Each structure stands twice: as structure tokens, then as C-alpha cells.
Amino acid sequence: MKRFSELYWRLDAITSTNEKLAALQDYFAAAPAADAACALHVLSGGRQPRAVSTALLRQWAAEEAGIPLWLLEECYAQAGDLAETLALVLPPAATGTEPEAAGLAELIRTTIDRLRSEPEERKREIVVNVWRRLGMQERIVWHKLLTGGCRVGVSQTLVARALAEVAGVDPAVMAHRLMGRDTHTADTYRQLLDPEPTEQDSRQPYPFFLAAPLAQEPPELGPVADWQAEWKWDGARAQLVCRGGAVAVWTRGEELVSAAFPEIVAAAAALPAGTVLDGELLAIRDGRLLGFTALSRRISSKRTTKKLIAEVPCGFVAYDLLEESGNDLRGLPLAERRSRLERLGPPAVNAATVSAESRPFADGHTLWLSPCLAAASWADLAAARATARSRGVEGLMLKRRSGAYGVGRTRGDWWKWKIEPLEIDAVLLYAQAGHGRRAGLHSDYTLGLWHEGRLVPIAKAYSGLSDAEIVEVDRIVRSTTREKHGPVRVVEPTLVFQLAFEGVALSTRHKSGVSVRFPRISRWRRDKQPADAAGLDELVRMIGSPAVTEPTP
Amino acid sequence: MPDLLELTPDGLYCRQGDFHVDPWRRVPRAIVTHAHADHARPGCARYLCAAPGKLVLRERVGGGMPIDTLRFGESLTINGVRVSLHSSGHVLGAAQVRLEHAGVTWVVTGDYKTQADPTCAPFEHVEADVLITESTFGLPLYRWQDPAEIAAAINAWWRENQAAGRTSVILAYALGKAQRLAAMVDPSIGPIVGHGAVMKMVRAYRDSGVRLPSIDGVPPRARKVGNGRALVIAPPSVAGSRWLRLFGDVSVAMASGWMTIRGIRRRRGFDRGFVVSDHADFPGLLEVIEASRARRVLVTHGATEALARLLRERGLDAGTLPTRFMGEAVPDRRSAAADANADEAEPEDDDGADNDDRGHDRDDDGADDAESAP
């Protein structure tokens, strides 16, 4: 228990990802398998039913502390966390008490698991006994385990990376081994750490080939006939890996998201064994695109409920075939891979009808083929690109027909030709000190627009100004601070910035009612006064096509 | 029998003796428990404080006005009221005020702690008929650890930072806490550096005969200080300020009783929190109240309602006494707990009321000037 409690508090105290990774590695390298298996369950957000009611815990803690219950409630109101309140009000463990020797697994088994089956008077005895044995920090962690609220600020990717280091395997392999399993035993934990490849490790994706932003004029790329043009979808890049009768969905961040997209996994099960598709996850309802904000609800949800799937149905649009019948096709020219992909059979999305009004995605399908745009000249493609925003796509992708599927961001064969960002003039409302190189400088800004005579915050923007400008803004922020809330300063509205962003969507999670995508500052409008900044209505009008509108939940 | 002290718009007033205790405004005669700004206001015609605190008070209220002193335990009769001062252990020279008139004794504790502090005299228990006690940490959440354990934790953090090439910055009140920390830590680990506001009080402490380890000020026009080895002691207002950039890569810790609460520590964004307070913890408050044998207790400064209710349930005649600084000194913790964004509801630090902030801003400006000078 001591070791896990130390991990908990170490993770609580640090913010750097590398230090968190080191803390996790240290823990997994040292912890006995049974304890590590329990810890992994907790770190993965796994829940256990509450073993005892918090009303009883409060009552017993007040009795042990010799204080009235109302005073304990006062304490809870001040501390804001029950696990912590109980630990703090209880009398400290008597000096000379031996540190708790039981490991995490044993302590859970002999206390928390037992509490579930014992009658109430025995429960009190068990709980009070633990209180007397544990130090303050261990008590807090134990309370969190007991009440089912032990959340630790580490991502699953980080946990997988730490375990991969300890096992000496690739992080993607570990992520895969962790897939779809949230309880572990000492035995399954040992299997996780197997340095040799296992049967299920065969579901690895290929490294993603990434496109570079198009920097030159398209005609400089040569004859338009040498290029395959597609819509640049506003979704999440992913590979569907179908091998050995199982399907894995991997995002570009090497995150395994199969569990979040059961309908895609089910549809891909019909593909021949030994198939790997490269493409895009998209939220599609009634044959129309729902936009990235909708999709992100699916990607980020911890639990994929039927309700969520019904609200935000998703599909996969394939644009490349990387493996066929178990053979790696990446060395073949794109034109060849494309014709094999077409033979595979998913229905192609009608390129011309991608828009808000029509229904380009055929009913009854979950997998589609990303269409190629027919073009006789670069001017045709430029015209197509000009319609991108109204279609709910981000622009065009240009891929050399003779090119192989490269590795990483190799320049030359894949280009993204995105539409220009949207822009609006907004007023600086709050500023917060940055981190790292910008520590101590107010470089994180919240900007607002006019609405009914007041400025309402619409976006946070972190970048876009030069270092010299940041220093200058920092000075103005300090001299115009109206209030301080911790690290955040509320400033007099004096500065106007041009905010660039990729899209606007209605949002119930933002006070302003809208959310902007990829906001960043493109220019300091020194020529403008706050009164010259835009109104919220202007931003709302940019929502334009309902194709990119988030459905109202 | 009229009360010996009553609350007036100027603060606590003794009609029988015609003087104020820790007045909020300029009055002809002020008895001052200690020099924190919520207790010692400048501009009174005449002050009385405990002898060890004279230089510190002078630093706070400025020159000119006379400051009379009493040694701890010594008494003086003012208009028939017998006045004596007794150590409260809060900061250098901090005193409880004992008033005796017509056979009745009132004690105003001022701020106090029962923990040991190498930079000031220990708390002295004083009996009273009526006790006016502070209650900053008047909830059972607050129970301080042995100062030696805290010192060991601070030393370990300082060494860890040195190993990582980071300067250790510990935020604490310029008056009292800063000097106590300097005296607590192990000066053999590395150099100790003090912010300007801290150094002013370090000088007042030394001039008053308090032994402190060597502490360096930040030289004017310095561009880089600390070299990842130093422990910098600075007031809380420097958090996130440009002044901190003098020290390169830093780990910032806060030293305050509020650091007991994880949520406060996290929301304020400190790398570390050390629970070091110059106020009594909950058991300390109860111990002092009990030892005073007072039948009537007036609770001020802090968790007043809860502590008064608890004392009433235990058979005492207890009530609350509002303070002018209450809005700042008593954080609305209920809403702070309910709303993670309610940073403003959180205490600035132990003496939320101590408007040290003004001093810091002035010193910040000085530091900024030093930095931007060619």
C-alpha cells in the first residue's frame, strides 16, 4: 500500500509528462505482480462498487475524532473532498505504529472486498482498524479506493508507455496488449510484461504516412494528371487492421480506439483476413457529415453507450490499402494500391455530392471509399477547393499517383491543400502565465466578442505572436489587470487581436454557445480599439453550413 | 459590569482605559498585538507594543509616532486599567493583551501559535474571564505536523531541486514566516536568497537580536540569481511574476497552513505545498481556550461560527466578533469547494488580511526596474 500511495502522491505533485512516465515506470518495475495488477486497474479508470456508504464513513469518522457530525460536514465543505476530509479529521496514527505492511492487493482483499459481505457492525470495526494503521496520505488513497473515486491524472497512453518500457516492448504493442481488458490478475499482468511477441501482438498498424502543407503554387507540382486529388476529411486519421479474425482501429496517435467504435469493428469483420486500410473516422448521421466536434465525443468517451452511438453514429472512409491478404503493399505505386482498394468493394462516397444538402453516404454502410476528384486542370481543383468549407471538409489532399506509401512526414508525394482559415477580430479579456519557455510571461489569452453590450469569452489562444510581442503584451496585461484569480488575470479590455480558426460549431459546453476549432492569434490589431471588435452574431453567422454543426444533444 | 472591550467603527475599544487594541483606523492610542498589516495600521498618535517587536512595528508604521513598549509580563496602568503583554508565539514580538479592571480580566490573543518557533518567544498561557481568540484554522481539518518533519521535507525538496538544476522558491509572508523558514532549513545545503520585502524584515529581526543564517538579497540590476542551487524566500505575490524569471528554472512551493488542503494547493498551481503556519492548529486553539479557563469566549478571524458553536455545545458562553478584514481573512470555503474556478474565494495565505501585497508590488516594481535596466 505504501508503494502505491507514494505513486499516487508523486503523480499528484508533478505536471510534466516525462516525470509522470518515470514515476509509473518506477512503480511497475518495483511492484509485485499482484499489486501492479490492482494498480493497473485503478490507473485505467476501472471502478469497483462502493463497499460502504459515505454516510456511515462520516458518522464513524466523527465518532473516532470526537467531534459532532455537523463539524465534520463543515470540514467537508471547506476541503471539498470527502476522502481527504475524513483522513484529516481522524486522530493521527499513534506514534510508533508500524507502517502498513500489506501490499495494495492484499489490503484491498482484506478490507475493501471484505466490507462488501460483512454486516454493518463488523464493517465499522474493519474501517476503524484501517484508520488506526494508515498514515495520512495512505488514508486518503484508501478512502478513494473504498468509495470508488480513485482517479489519477495519467492517460492510458502514458500507462502503456510505462509498461512498454518495463517490459522492453514497443509502446504500440503494449497498448494493444492492454486493449479491452480492465481487470488484471497477477498472471495476466505477467503476460503483459512478456518481452517476446505474442499472438495478439500481430494487430499492429503501420506507421502513418503524413502529408505536408502545400507551400507552393499547385501548378509547380507538374501535370495535374500525375496527382490523385481527394477531399481532406475533417475527421480522425485511422488504420483498420484486420488480421487473424480480429479488427483493431488505431488512430494516428497510435491509440487503440477499437472499443470506442464497435459499429466500425463489426463492419470491418467482413473484410478478408490480412487487410489493413488507411483512412478517416467520421461522424455520419442520416447520410450526412456531423463534423469533428461530434466525432471527438466518440473518441474521448470512456464508455461508449448505445445512446452515444445512436446520437453520433460513425463510419470509416478508406483512402489507401496498405496490406492485402497479409502482404505489405506500401512499396507499390499509389495508382496500383488504389485500384486494389476499389476492388475490395466498399461503396465510394459520391465526390460531387459531398455537402450539407445531399446525402453522400449511402444508407446501410459503415465503410466507404474516399472518392477521387476528377480534374482536367489545376483550375478545376482550385474551384473544388473553394467549395470545401460549405461541404464540411478541410480542403484537398494531393497524392502522387506513382508514389509509394512513405514513412512519417516525408515531403514530396503527399500534400494537404487546406482552405484559408476563418478570421475575426476579438478583444483580450483574460491572460494567464505560460509554461516552460514562457513561464512567468502572460502568453495564454482568452479572447471575447461583443454580445448585447458586453464582451463574452469565445476562445483561448496560445500562440501566434512573436516573442517580442508576447513580452509587450505581458507588460500591458500587468498594467491593466483588473482582478487576479490565481494565475489568471482579468484585464481592462484594451487589446484587439485577429483570431484565426478552422471552423465554428454550436456548443452547449461553452458559455458563448459556440466553439471555434484550432483558434490561434494571427495578428495584433494595433490599429483597432475594443469597440471595433466583432460581435458574437458575426461569429455565429460563420457557422454557415449545417453540415459542420454539432447536433444538439 | 460593562464590557472591558467593545467593537467600534475604529476597532476594539476599551472605554475605561480610553485606548484601542489593533485599531483599524488612526486613533490616539493603539495597543498593537503584532506588526502584520491587518493588526498594525500606520498613522496612530501613539503605539504600545511588546519590546521585542518594536523595530518590526517601526518598519511597518514608519517613523515619527512614538512607540511605547512593555516587556512580556510587565504591566502598565492606563486610566485605571492594568495592561500587560504576553507572548503569543505568532511572530517576533507578537503579544496577547491582558486587561484587568475592577477585578475582571480580558485577554485578546491576537494571532498566535503554540508550536515552537526559533525566531520568537513561545506562547504563554494566560488566564482570563473573557477571552477574545483568533480562529484562522478553527476546524478539525488542521493539525500541524512536528516542525522538524516539515523542515526535513523542505530540505529534501531543496536538495532534489538542486540535483535537477532548479532553483527552489518558497513563498511565505515577508514578516515572520520568511524568517522562521530561514531558521528552519539546513543552511549547509546552499545559499538562501531573500526577496526585497523579506530582507527588510530580516534586517529588523537581526537588529532585534534574532539569530538567522546568512541570507543574500537580490542585487539591483541582477540578471541571473541562484544558479539552480539557492533557496529563494519571497512573498506569495511573486507567484507568476516576472521577478521569478531571475532564477531560471524554478520549483515553486507555498508555505502556509492552507496547504493542508490538496484542492487549494492544486488550484493555486504550486509545485509543492508545505504546511507551515504561524497560527494555532485546531487542537492548539482548543488547548489555549481551555487553559485560559475563560467562561466567555469571543471568536474572531477565521472559522468563527463553527468554533463558537462547538464551544457553546461544550458549555461556554461563546460568540463571534466580526473583524474589518473578515471578507479577506475568512475565505468562503464552501463555494471554493463547490466550484473549482472560485479561486477568488480562496485565502491569499495565512493572513489573507495582511496587505503585504502592497509592499510586494512595490518591491516587484523595483525588481522589474533592476531587470530591464541596461
Side-chain angles (χ1 to χ4, degrees):
Chain A
M1 180 60 185
K2 188 163 182 295
R3 189 180 279 121
F4 182 71
S5 170
E6 280 169 4
L7 172 69
Y8 180 90
W9 291 105
R10 202 172 148 192
L11 291 174
D12 180 67
I14 55 189
T15 48
S16 136
T17 306
N18 282 337
E19 287 177 46
K20 284 188 176 187
L21 182 64
L24 289 167
Q25 276 172 238
D26 291 349
Y27 176 81
F28 285 119
D35 290 351
C38 284
L40 183 56
H41 176 71
V42 173
L43 293 169
S44 310
R47 290 296 150 77
Q48 296 200 312
R50 183 172 286 178
V52 56
S53 82
T54 59
L56 285 174
L57 288 176
R58 290 173 210 220
Q59 187 192 319
W60 299 336
E63 287 164 12
E64 279 292 295
I67 58 170
L69 191 57
W70 66 262
L71 188 53
L72 185 134
E73 299 296 345
E74 285 282 327
C75 291
Y76 180 28
Q78 179 152 119
D81 181 301
L82 188 65
E84 196 180 339
T85 304
L86 299 177
L88 288 168
V89 301
L90 285 163
T95 45
T97 308
E98 286 293 305
E100 176 60 49
L104 179 64
E106 188 191 337
L107 194 67
I108 288 178
R109 189 168 47 76
T110 58
T111 62
I112 298 177
D113 290 348
R114 251 184 75 203
L115 280 169
R116 284 181 234 287
S117 54
E118 296 282 347
E120 189 171 310
E121 58 280 8
R122 282 285 300 139
K123 284 186 180 185
R124 187 182 194 286
E125 199 180 310
I126 295 169
V127 169
V128 170
N129 187 280
V130 176
W131 282 340
R132 291 184 183 158
R133 276 151 52 203
L134 295 186
M136 181 72 64
Q137 299 204 318
E138 293 173 340
R139 268 184 199 164
I140 296 179
V141 176
W142 185 75
H143 287 148
K144 293 204 173 268
L145 294 169
L146 182 63
T147 55
C150 194
R151 278 180 288 271
V152 185
V154 291
S155 69
Q156 287 319 288
T157 317
L158 202 66
V159 172
R161 274 175 65 193
L163 284 168
E165 280 295 328
V166 172
V169 301
D170 192 81
V173 170
M174 184 55 71
H176 197 249
R177 288 183 187 179
L178 288 168
M179 178 188 70
R181 173 190 281 277
D182 67 353
T183 54
H184 294 271
T185 63
D187 282 341
T188 63
Y189 176 76
R190 283 192 202 97
Q191 286 164 18
L192 280 180
L193 296 189
D194 191 342
E196 299 305 321
T198 64
E199 161 75 31
Q200 48 156 267
D201 291 346
S202 66
R203 289 173 212 160
Q204 294 309 302
Y206 290 101
F208 284 84
F209 185 32
L210 305 177
L214 187 63
Q216 66 270 58
E217 289 302 311
E220 294 171 30
L221 295 175
V224 72
D226 290 353
W227 295 85
Q228 172 178 312
E230 302 164 39
W231 294 123
K232 184 177 184 325
W233 300 102
D234 186 17
R237 181 84 181 274
Q239 280 181 36
L240 278 188
V241 179
C242 317
R243 293 184 191 125
V247 177
V249 185
W250 293 88
T251 65
R252 213 195 88 186
E254 305 257 305
E255 258 187 283
L256 191 59
V257 293
S258 316
F261 297 97
E263 72 268 61
I264 294 176
V265 170
L271 293 168
T275 301
V276 177
L277 298 175
D278 185 12
E280 199 98 354
L281 296 167
L282 293 170
I284 298 161
R285 192 173 58 194
D286 302 330
R288 297 183 181 96
L289 283 171
L290 289 182
F292 183 81
T293 7
L295 177 67
S296 61
R297 286 177 62 201
R298 284 287 298 272
I299 295 180
S300 57
S301 74
K302 286 230 154 144
R303 286 176 57 243
T304 307
T305 59
K306 288 204 172 92
K307 181 166 171 284
L308 181 61
I309 294 175
E311 270 174 25
V312 188
C314 289
F316 181 83
V317 173
Y319 37 63
D320 216 327
L321 180 63
L322 309 185
E323 184 176 305
E324 186 185 39
S325 309
N327 298 315
D328 182 353
L329 305 187
R330 290 177 300 158
L332 296 178
L334 172 64
E336 175 61 23
R337 300 200 307 275
R338 175 77 196 187
S339 66
R340 294 189 190 203
L341 175 63
E342 288 173 2
R343 281 204 299 274
L344 206 58
V349 180
N350 186 332
T353 64
V354 169
S355 77
E357 289 73 34
S358 65
R359 296 158 57 97
F361 297 89
D363 281 342
H365 292 277
T366 308
L367 305 182
W368 289 277
L369 193 61
S370 182
C372 298
L373 281 79
S377 68
W378 287 112
D380 287 354
L381 289 181
R385 172 173 170 269
T387 69
R389 196 179 317 270
S390 68
R391 295 175 185 276
V393 297
E394 293 187 307
L396 300 184
M397 291 297 304
L398 302 174
K399 299 173 182 173
R400 193 186 297 277
R401 290 185 195 275
S402 62
Y405 188 92
V407 173
R409 211 178 283 275
T410 318
R411 291 170 70 88
D413 285 352
W414 278 27
W415 299 102
K416 46 187 172 189
W417 190 17
K418 288 173 75 167
I419 39 184
E420 302 299 330
L422 295 164
E423 282 169 338
I424 200 160
D425 290 333
V427 182
L428 179 68
L429 300 180
Y430 319 127
Q432 188 171 352
H435 299 281
R437 200 167 59 87
R438 290 173 174 178
L441 277 173
H442 291 84
S443 60
D444 297 355
Y445 311 123
T446 300
L447 303 176
L449 296 177
W450 292 104
H451 181 57
E452 292 171 354
R454 297 178 52 206
L455 285 163
V456 294
I458 51 133
K460 267 185 133 177
Y462 298 90
S463 64
L465 293 182
S466 71
D467 285 356
E469 283 174 327
I470 291 174
V471 169
E472 197 178 342
V473 171
D474 178 72
R475 200 166 57 233
I476 297 171
V477 164
R478 285 169 197 280
S479 62
T480 59
T481 299
R482 200 187 261 172
E483 293 163 45
K484 281 197 232 174
H485 299 297
V488 178
R489 287 173 183 247
V490 179
V491 297
E492 299 289 337
T494 58
L495 301 180
V496 180
F497 296 109
Q498 185 174 297
L499 185 73
F501 47 95
E502 296 303 321
V504 197
L506 291 176
S507 164
T508 52
R509 277 169 293 172
H510 294 75
K511 260 189 204 162
S512 63
V514 291
S515 66
V516 298
R517 189 138 178 251
F518 294 143
R520 68 267 184 193
I521 288 170
S522 53
R523 199 145 65 95
W524 183 352
R525 296 299 305 254
R526 294 174 194 260
D527 54 325
K528 290 207 169 184
Q529 297 300 313
D532 305 328
L536 183 60
D537 53 334
E538 206 171 309
L539 182 65
V540 170
R541 278 198 300 274
M542 291 183 183
I543 290 175
S545 156
V548 291
T549 302
E550 168 128 4
T552 321
Chain B
M1 168 77 56
D3 283 354
L4 260 184
L5 285 165
E6 61 190 283
L7 203 56
T8 70
D10 293 332
L12 271 183
Y13 177 61
C14 175
R15 190 170 300 280
Q16 295 84 340
D18 190 22
F19 55 80
H20 288 80
V21 177
D22 288 353
W24 306 329
R25 297 186 187 158
R26 298 168 179 209
V27 298
R29 183 148 201 191
I31 301 180
V32 172
T33 59
H34 66 285
H36 277 147
D38 53 335
H39 296 261
R41 315 294 296 173
C44 295
R46 190 170 180 188
Y47 293 91
L48 173 67
C49 74
K54 181 174 180 176
L55 295 181
V56 173
L57 181 62
R58 178 64 77 199
E59 183 62 57
R60 274 301 161 91
V61 300
M65 309 305 187
I67 299 178
D68 305 326
T69 62
L70 282 175
R71 292 192 306 277
F72 285 135
E74 187 187 6
S75 67
L76 166 76
T77 301
I78 306 176
N79 300 324
V81 177
R82 189 169 164 216
V83 178
S84 58
L85 302 179
H86 306 267
S87 176
S88 80
H90 178 57
V91 297
L92 179 60
Q96 309 172 71
V97 180
R98 181 183 185 275
L99 307 177
E100 190 182 332
H101 180 73
V104 176
T105 307
W106 284 54
V107 168
V108 180
T109 64
D111 293 342
Y112 62 94
K113 71 170 173 286
T114 52
Q115 248 185 348
D117 177 344
T119 61
C120 67
F123 182 88
E124 179 193 344
H125 285 290
V126 186
E127 292 190 6
D129 297 308
V130 182
L131 182 75
I132 299 180
T133 179
E134 67 126 326
S135 61
T136 307
F137 293 103
L139 285 175
L141 292 168
Y142 304 104
R143 188 186 287 112
W144 309 148
Q145 261 180 291
D146 181 351
E149 286 175 37
I150 303 287
I154 297 173
N155 289 336
W157 165 74
W158 185 4
R159 286 199 186 92
E160 248 171 64
N161 290 333
Q162 280 189 342
R166 276 192 296 260
T167 305
S168 306
V169 177
I170 191 158
L171 305 179
Y173 282 146
L175 164 55
K177 185 89 58 75
Q179 292 73 26
R180 183 184 176 198
L181 286 169
M184 270 171 84
V185 298
D186 177 357
S188 71
I189 296 174
I192 302 175
V193 173
H195 181 273
V198 169
M199 292 312 289
K200 249 193 310 206
M201 289 301 163
V202 164
R203 283 189 286 276
Y205 264 56
R206 287 208 171 107
D207 293 345
S208 307
V210 177
R211 287 172 58 98
L212 292 173
S214 163
I215 306 171
D216 305 320
V218 177
R221 297 180 209 295
R223 296 203 148 264
K224 185 145 175 48
V225 179
N227 286 328
R229 297 198 62 249
L231 175 72
V232 178
I233 305 178
S237 61
V238 307
S241 78
R242 303 206 305 168
W243 184 78
L244 274 187
R245 278 189 274 154
L246 278 173
F247 306 100
D249 194 9
V250 293
S251 174
V252 178
M254 176 76 178
S256 161
W258 299 116
M259 293 298 106
T260 304
I261 308 294
R262 176 170 168 263
I264 296 179
R265 205 166 66 230
R266 289 180 69 89
R267 283 194 295 275
R268 300 282 301 273
F270 303 121
D271 298 315
R272 282 293 287 273
F274 294 108
V275 182
V276 184
S277 179
D278 287 328
H279 292 269
D281 59 2
F282 184 74
L285 291 169
L286 293 185
E287 178 201 331
V288 166
I289 292 165
E290 196 182 339
S292 77
R293 304 170 73 119
R295 297 300 306 155
R296 185 175 164 207
V297 178
L298 294 168
V299 183
T300 187
H301 267 297
T304 53
E305 294 292 347
L307 186 58
R309 179 175 169 190
L310 183 71
L311 295 175
R312 280 196 299 274
E313 288 185 3
R314 294 184 175 187
L316 294 180
D317 172 8
T320 62
L321 193 68
T323 63
R324 183 177 163 189
F325 295 96
M326 200 129 120
E328 295 160 86
V330 182
D332 178 4
R333 309 304 293 284
R334 196 176 294 276
S335 68
D339 177 4
N341 293 322
D343 287 359
E344 71 277 17
E346 285 175 14
E348 181 68 23
D349 21 45
D350 284 16
D351 291 308
D354 187 350
N355 68 357
D356 257 357
D357 257 357
R358 275 192 326 205
H360 308 338
D361 284 348
R362 197 171 58 232
D363 284 295
D364 281 355
D365 293 347
D368 286 351
D369 289 343
E371 195 190 29
S372 55

